[in-house]
């Protein structure tokens, strides 16, 4: 059950729904275990991991990998198993109550999971995704060993803190 006190909705033309502490501690442990296994030596440079471009210029500097390309069976990945939670009835109901645009979320028939790893001088510049819905989750070792990592929506002058 999603605690409505941990939900923030930013009402812009297409609303942004933020669910704080979405994963429980056991789920976070599973995810962090796999992330620690993957980073950094199993991740690919930006030109090999899929990246937004503008006028032929790559818009990111980081490492990443699409987990669906790495694993032939989703069941062997903690992340791919745990992140199914984003399609749970609780999430679908929350989203459809938030805005009519989310009615189609429950009918999503394709998804992919990109793990991105950033270092001190890494970045991902503003860009437009081609996906209909995007779900972002931030994971890092505590205490937070870096500054930044925020999601910036420059068209609306909104920053969502990491």
């Amino acid at each position: 059950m999603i605690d409505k006190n941990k939900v923030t909705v930013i009402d812009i033309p297409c609303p942004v729904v933020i669910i704080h502490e979405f994963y429980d501690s056991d789920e976070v442990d599973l995810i962090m275990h796999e992330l620690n296994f993957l980073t950094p030596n199993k991740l690919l440079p930006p030109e090999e991991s899929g990246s937004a471009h503008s006028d032929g210029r790559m818009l990111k500097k980081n490492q990443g990998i699409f987990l669906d390309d790495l694993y032939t069976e989703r069941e062997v990945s903690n992340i791919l198993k745990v992140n199914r939670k984003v399609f749970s009835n609780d999430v679908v109901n929350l989203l459809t109550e938030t805005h009519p645009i989310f009615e189609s979320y429950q009918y999503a028939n394709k998804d992919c999971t990109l793990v991105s790893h950033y270092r001190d001088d890494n970045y991902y510049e503003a860009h437009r995704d081609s996906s209909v819905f995007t779900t972002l989750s931030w994971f890092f070792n505590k205490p937070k060993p870096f500054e930044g990592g925020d999601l910036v929506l420059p068209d609306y002058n909104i920053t969502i803190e990491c």
Side-chain angles (χ1 to χ4, degrees):
M1 192 71 158
I2 297 174
D3 181 349
K4 301 266 179 145
N5 293 318
K6 294 184 178 184
V7 176
T8 303
V9 178
I10 301 173
D11 194 21
I12 54 179
C14 179
V16 174
V17 178
I18 303 167
I19 306 173
H20 302 276
E21 299 174 23
F22 179 67
Y23 296 107
D24 66 34
S25 61
D26 290 337
E27 292 166 332
V28 170
D29 287 345
L30 287 169
I31 291 167
M32 290 302 294
H33 180 77
E34 186 170 351
L35 290 174
N36 288 326
F37 167 75
L38 292 171
T39 56
N41 62 352
K42 291 174 183 60
L43 302 180
L44 303 171
E47 59 275 6
E48 295 178 34
S49 63
S51 176
H53 293 79
S54 176
D55 297 325
R57 184 178 65 84
M58 195 166 309
L59 297 178
K60 75 175 183 177
K61 178 182 176 188
N62 71 351
Q63 292 180 302
I65 195 161
F66 280 95
L67 294 183
D68 304 275
D69 293 340
L70 180 62
Y71 301 110
T72 57
E73 300 293 329
R74 283 182 160 233
E75 296 76 32
V76 301
S77 166
N78 292 338
I79 295 170
L80 292 177
K81 284 189 299 189
V82 171
N83 78 1
R84 299 296 84 204
K85 187 175 180 177
V86 300
F87 296 109
S88 69
N89 288 335
D90 284 345
V91 172
V92 169
N93 292 337
L94 171 71
L95 293 175
T96 54
E97 291 170 10
T98 302
H99 193 278
I101 197 165
F102 292 116
E103 281 291 324
S104 60
Y105 183 80
Q106 63 190 313
Y107 303 112
N109 59 8
K110 170 86 171 124
D111 69 278
C112 55
T113 301
L114 171 65
V115 168
S116 294
H117 182 257
Y118 294 87
R119 296 186 181 198
D120 291 334
D121 63 341
N122 290 180
Y123 58 85
Y124 207 142
E125 294 179 26
H127 63 280
R128 297 200 191 293
D129 281 345
S130 59
S131 60
V132 177
F133 298 104
T134 298
T135 302
L136 300 173
S137 300
W138 287 268
F139 296 94
F140 49 85
N141 294 312
K142 294 182 180 176
K144 186 177 162 189
F146 59 90
E147 293 182 19
D150 302 335
L151 173 64
V152 179
L153 305 172
D155 292 349
Y156 306 104
N157 197 28
I158 293 173
T159 299
I160 300 169
E161 283 189 48
C162 172

